[in-house]
Amino acid sequence: MDPKLEERARELRALLQKASIAYYVHNAPILEDSVYDRLYRELQELEQAHPELITPDSPTQRVGEKPAEQFPTVSHRVPLYSLENAFNLEELKGWQERLLRLLGRTPEEGELEYVCELKIDGAALALTYVDGLLQRGATRGDGQVGEDITPNVRAIPSIPLRLATANPPPVLEVRGEAYLPLAEFERINRERCSAGDPPFANPRNCAAGTLRQLDSRVVAARKLSFFAYALHWPEGWPAGDPPQTQWECLQRLKELGLPVNPLSQVCRNLQEVAQFYERWRQAQLPYACDGVVVKLNSLRLQEEAGFTQKFPRWAIALKYPAQEVPTRIRAIVASVGRTGAVTPVAELEPVLLAGTTVSRASLHNADRLEELDVHIGDTAIVRKAGEIIPEVVGILKELRPPDAVRYRLPSHCPECGTPLVRPAGEAITRCPNPDCPAQIRGQLQHWASRDALDIEGLGEKRVAQLVEKLGVRTVSDLYRLTPEQLESLEGMGSRSSQKLVQAIQRSRQQPWERVLYGLGIPHVGVVTAQTLAQHFPTPELLAQASIEDIAQIYGIGREIAEAVVSWFADPAHQQLLQELRELGIPALPPQKSPIAAQVLAGKKFVITGTLPTLSRQEAKAWIESRGGKVTASVSRQTDYVVVGSDPGSKLKKAQELGIPLLSEAELLALDPGNPHS
Ligand code: IVH
C-alpha cells in the first residue's frame, strides 16, 4: 500500500470528522457543503479502489448494505434509570425539601444548584465507545436490558463514530436522547398518510419506531438527531481532572464531539429553575419537548443522594401540561379508505385544541377500541398528534352516562355490505371487495389529488357523482368521459363539463412519478414514488423489477419493495396499466425521449376550434418542437389546418384554398415517434 494514499485517507477522515462535529456540535460549520461533499467523494473513491483503506470510523461507513435479521439483547453496564415526575412548581419544591433533608443541609448552607435541561420527547440511547470508537448503540429497554441497534445508531449523522480526543479511555458510556425534529416528523407522517399508512401518533413513537427498523438505510433516510446528557467514565480518566458537576459533564461531552442541547443552563436556585421552565414552555422549538429535567449540579451531592429502586433522587422531570382536552363522543363512524382499511372515527362535540377546532378524532383500529372500551356518549380525552390528525387517547369512564352504548367495528362494510376481514396478526380491518364504492372513490380522489395527476375540479362530491351516476370504476374510465355525460350531473353546466374534460385530458401529460404515486400502491408516498421513478423510468421497467432490485435502492425498505411487487402482480392492476398505456399515460419522460425529430420542419399550420385533448398552447408547442410553424391566418402558404370543434371562418378559407385539414389525432400521427399516435 502506497503510504501517501494511506496518509491521504487518514487526513480526509480526520477533516471530515472535524467538519461534522463543527456542524452538529458547535453549530459553526467549517466547510461549505459542496466542499464537504467533494472531499467525501474523494475518500469514497479512494476506498473503493483500495478497500484495505476502509476503517470502521470512516464517514463513508455509516450505513450498511444488509438489513439486520433481528436485534440482539444487551445488558447495560450501567443501568438506565427513569425520572420521577413533578407536575407543578409545588411538587418541585416538595422534591427539593426531601432532598435537603436527605443531604442533611440547613437553609444557611445556601441553596442547591441545579442544571436544567430540556426533556426532549424521543428515545433514550446508550452509546459505548471502546478506545474512542463507537462500539455499540443500544435502546433503553427496561433499563437493565436493551436491544443492540448499533447499525441504526451509526446511521444518525450527529453521533460521532470516533471520539474527538487523542486519549480516549478504554470504555466510555454516553447517554442521551435520539429524537426527530418536528419538521422531519411531519414530513414522515405526510409521506405515510399519502401512502395510506397510519401516521405515527407523536415524534417519540416515530423516533422509537425508526430506531427499531431492521434496515439502517431507512434510518439514514429519516433525519434523526441526538442530544447527549450523561457520561460514565472509568476510574482514573481523564487524567488529572475528572468533571465535578453535571455542567462540566455536558462541556466534556461537547469536547468529545457529542452534540449537547445548547439551551441547557445552570440555575442557582429553584426560582431560576422556575424561570427556565416558563421561558421554554411557550417557545416554538424545532423538536417536541415535554418538560424540563432538573438535576443537582454537584456530582458529589448526586452521589450522596443516590437512587431509589427506579429513579435517581438527585434529578426530577418537571413536566409541561399536555395538549389534551376532554370532549363528548356524539357518534362513531367506520370510514373506509382507498385501500379498504376501515378506521373508526369519533365525531365529537367541537372543542378548541392547540389553536384549532376539533370535531373528529381517529380511534385507529379494533384493538384500540377494545383497549379504550369506547362507548358512544363517553367523554373522551383528545390529543393533537403533531400537526396531523387528532386522536382519542383515553376515556373518562367516571363520566359515562347510563345509556352509553358500547361501540364495535361493524362485521360488514358500511359501504358495500361485504363481510370485513382482519388477517391474523394485523391491526387493520379491511373491506376485501375491490369494487367497494368507498375504495373506488378513494382511489379516484387520490389519482386526481394535487401531488398525483393534479386534476382540478375532481373533488370529493364530483367523484361520488361519477361513481354513482356515471359508473366510473377505474382511473382509466375518467379519460373516456365526455362533456355530454358530465352535463347530466347535478350542478354541472356545459362550460364546467368542457373544463373538467379538458383538465382530465391534460393530466395525460403528467410524468411517470406522479402517475406512480397516483396508483396508490400501499406504502408508496410522494417521495418514494419519485425515488422509484428515477430508478425505473417506465411502468414496464418497474413491473419487471424484483423485490431485491427495489429493496436495494437507498431509502427504500423491504416492506415497500414487497408492496410494489405484489401490486404489479395483480392481474387487475396489469389490466389498468395496459389501459393507461393505451391512453398515453404516463407521458414519456422528456429527458428520455430524444429531442423530437424535426418531422414538421418548414411546415406551416393554422389551428381552429377546440381540440379534444390538447389546448391551443400545447398543440402549438407540439408542432414547434418538431420544427413546424403555427400562424394565425390561413393563406396559400399554409400547409395544414388543424380543426377542432366549433371551428371559425378559418375552416371555410382553408376549404376555399383546398388546404388539407387535420383532426388532432391526424396531427399527432404526423410524428410516428409520438407516444400519443
Ligand atoms: S436523565 C438518571 N436527561 O426522559 C438520569 N433524561 O423519564 C435519567 N430524557 O428515559 C435520565 N431528556 O429518555 C435525562 N436531559 C435529559 C433528558 C432525559 C429526555 C428522557 C430519557 C429518559 C426519560 C426519563
Side-chain angles (χ1 to χ4, degrees):
M1 168 56 38
D2 183 346
K4 276 215 190 94
L5 291 183
E6 228 166 318
E7 176 63 15
R8 181 67 181 168
R10 205 162 41 79
E11 282 169 2
L12 285 170
R13 277 199 306 272
L15 178 57
L16 291 172
Q17 189 202 14
K18 199 166 147 197
S20 151
I21 289 175
Y23 181 87
Y24 287 113
V25 181
H26 303 294
N27 213 355
I30 55 168
L31 294 182
E32 283 291 330
D33 286 0
S34 58
V35 177
Y36 183 97
D37 292 344
R38 276 290 273 280
L39 297 173
Y40 182 94
R41 206 156 341 128
E42 186 188 337
L43 178 60
Q44 217 171 17
E45 282 164 9
L46 207 55
E47 289 174 341
Q48 256 156 24
H50 307 280
E52 63 276 27
L53 289 177
I54 299 176
T55 60
D57 65 328
S58 169
T60 63
Q61 302 301 304
R62 281 197 175 269
V63 186
E65 295 284 307
K66 268 222 192 80
E69 300 270 318
Q70 59 174 55
F71 298 122
T73 54
V74 286
S75 305
H76 297 297
R77 269 175 253 246
V78 185
L80 277 80
Y81 286 86
S82 71
L83 291 169
E84 188 183 344
N85 289 325
F87 291 98
N88 51 51
L89 293 171
E90 273 315 300
E91 291 183 12
L92 185 69
K93 260 194 208 137
W95 169 75
Q96 175 175 258
E97 276 162 25
R98 274 179 281 136
L99 199 55
L100 284 168
R101 236 176 293 132
L102 181 77
L103 297 171
R105 305 248 304 192
T106 60
E108 294 80 63
E109 286 175 272
E111 297 205 55
L112 291 172
E113 190 174 86
Y114 303 99
V115 169
C116 283
E117 297 163 14
L118 292 181
K119 188 169 186 299
I120 312 284
D121 210 5
L125 285 185
L127 312 179
T128 309
Y129 286 88
V130 173
D131 295 326
L133 280 182
L134 177 65
Q135 192 212 32
R136 193 175 83 188
T139 61
R140 176 176 186 277
D142 64 4
Q144 302 285 343
V145 175
E147 280 178 307
D148 181 340
I149 53 161
T150 309
N152 290 347
V153 170
R154 291 177 65 93
I156 302 176
S158 57
I159 293 183
L161 299 179
R162 174 188 284 281
L163 295 174
T165 171
N167 300 305
V171 184
L172 193 75
E173 288 268 337
V174 173
R175 302 288 162 79
E177 196 83 353
Y179 66 93
L180 271 170
L182 285 178
E184 182 66 3
F185 166 67
E186 278 155 23
R187 184 193 67 75
I188 293 169
N189 263 355
R190 265 199 307 277
E191 175 76 359
R192 285 179 69 89
C193 288
S194 71
D197 293 331
F200 287 108
N202 52 50
R204 172 168 27 90
N205 290 358
C206 188
T210 302
L211 286 172
R212 300 195 67 259
Q213 280 281 335
L214 290 171
D215 187 346
S216 61
R217 290 171 304 180
V218 176
V219 183
R222 297 181 183 172
K223 310 239 160 2
L224 276 173
S225 282
F226 180 75
F227 281 135
Y229 54 67
L231 143 101
H232 300 275
W233 61 90
E235 191 98 28
W237 184 89
D241 57 339
Q244 308 281 322
T245 61
Q246 169 64 9
W247 184 252
E248 285 171 23
C249 286
L250 295 178
Q251 306 316 308
R252 203 55 68 106
L253 283 164
K254 246 193 284 184
E255 286 162 24
L256 292 169
L258 286 143
V260 169
N261 190 323
L263 302 180
S264 304
Q265 189 184 309
V266 175
C267 292
R268 285 164 301 178
N269 50 47
L270 278 201
Q271 203 190 343
E272 288 188 4
V273 171
Q275 281 164 0
F276 182 92
Y277 172 80
E278 283 303 332
R279 166 136 193 239
W280 297 114
R281 183 208 231 340
Q282 308 291 349
Q284 295 275 336
L285 296 165
Y287 35 72
C289 164
D290 59 343
V292 169
V293 184
V294 186
K295 298 175 179 173
L296 261 183
N297 195 15
S298 157
L299 297 188
R300 189 179 54 75
L301 289 182
Q302 281 190 10
E303 200 175 340
E304 234 176 276
F307 293 82
T308 69
Q309 280 288 313
K310 280 175 22 202
F311 313 124
R313 290 200 187 86
W314 45 265
I316 193 161
L318 179 57
K319 303 274 284 218
Y320 289 133
Q323 298 274 59
E324 292 176 1
V325 289
T327 187
R328 212 178 63 86
I329 299 180
R330 288 172 167 173
I332 299 176
V333 292
S335 130
V336 185
R338 70 180 155 83
T339 60
V342 180
T343 311
V345 176
E347 295 189 341
L348 308 167
E349 218 63 88
V351 273
L352 199 64
L353 175 60
T356 53
T357 303
V358 170
S359 52
R360 284 158 69 87
S362 174
L363 286 156
H364 297 298
N365 54 43
D367 287 344
R368 190 81 185 124
L369 284 174
E370 189 83 17
E371 189 186 326
L372 292 170
D373 179 30
V374 183
H375 287 48
I376 296 165
D378 267 346
T379 298
I381 299 170
V382 183
R383 174 169 69 195
K384 200 122 177 257
E387 295 304 302
I388 319 285
I389 323 147
E391 57 168 348
V392 172
V393 292
I395 296 291
L396 296 173
K397 294 207 180 128
E398 299 80 354
L399 301 184
R400 177 169 292 162
D403 59 348
V405 194
R406 170 149 203 195
Y407 180 82
R408 284 227 173 80
L409 274 185
S411 57
H412 290 70
C413 177
E415 288 279 344
C416 68
T418 306
L420 297 178
V421 295
R422 183 177 167 189
E426 277 191 32
I428 298 171
T429 307
R430 281 182 202 282
C431 168
N433 172 16
D435 295 321
C436 172
Q439 291 183 46
I440 292 172
R441 288 198 307 267
Q443 282 157 13
L444 293 171
Q445 235 170 291
H446 179 69
W447 178 261
S449 67
R450 210 170 35 161
D451 290 329
L453 280 280
D454 191 18
I455 304 176
E456 211 184 305
L458 262 193
E460 196 174 331
K461 227 181 85 195
R462 195 67 69 215
V463 164
Q465 285 177 315
L466 297 185
V467 174
E468 198 182 323
K469 301 278 195 289
L470 301 181
V472 171
R473 287 287 168 273
T474 67
V475 296
S476 58
D477 290 344
L478 291 175
Y479 297 87
R480 289 185 272 271
L481 290 171
T482 63
E484 292 70 38
Q485 282 177 300
L486 291 175
E487 260 178 73
S488 70
L489 298 177
E490 202 190 310
M492 286 293 271
S494 99
R495 244 190 88 66
S496 48
S497 301
Q498 292 263 358
K499 268 180 74 177
L500 183 53
V501 168
Q502 274 183 359
I504 293 173
Q505 295 300 337
R506 242 198 323 274
S507 75
R508 289 165 54 179
Q509 307 293 324
Q510 294 285 20
W512 166 222
E513 59 185 50
R514 280 174 171 266
V515 172
L516 176 54
Y517 169 65
L519 291 173
I521 301 172
H523 308 307
V524 177
V526 179
V527 180
T528 304
Q530 286 166 354
T531 311
L532 285 171
Q534 265 165 19
H535 284 81
F536 303 99
T538 66
E540 290 74 19
L541 289 170
L542 183 55
Q544 285 158 14
S546 68
I547 293 177
E548 280 66 34
D549 294 338
I550 299 172
Q552 69 170 8
I553 299 173
Y554 186 81
I556 293 195
R558 225 184 147 74
E559 195 184 8
I560 296 176
E562 284 171 0
V564 172
V565 169
S566 95
W567 192 92
F568 278 94
D570 183 332
H573 295 150
Q574 288 168 2
Q575 164 79 20
L576 174 65
L577 287 171
Q578 178 60 30
E579 287 175 21
L580 290 173
R581 165 53 64 230
E582 282 159 17
L583 288 160
I585 300 172
L588 284 193
Q591 72 272 23
K592 283 286 161 196
S593 63
I595 304 222
Q598 301 294 294
V599 286
L600 306 181
K603 301 280 185 225
K604 292 205 176 67
F605 290 79
V606 170
I607 306 170
T608 179
T610 310
L611 303 180
T613 75
L614 298 175
S615 71
R616 191 64 72 91
Q617 282 303 320
E618 287 163 346
K620 189 164 179 269
W622 191 91
I623 292 168
E624 287 171 353
S625 68
R626 287 160 178 80
K629 266 213 170 88
V630 177
T631 58
S633 53
V634 181
S635 73
R636 287 188 193 286
Q637 270 71 51
T638 307
D639 292 293
Y640 297 104
V641 173
V642 184
V643 187
S645 57
D646 299 326
S649 60
K650 293 175 199 170
L651 171 61
K652 223 169 128 216
K653 181 93 184 276
Q655 286 165 333
E656 283 167 16
L657 295 173
I659 293 168
L661 305 179
L662 298 176
S663 67
E664 181 189 279
E666 288 163 338
L667 168 70
L668 296 175
L670 291 181
D671 180 359
N674 160 51
H676 295 289
S677 62

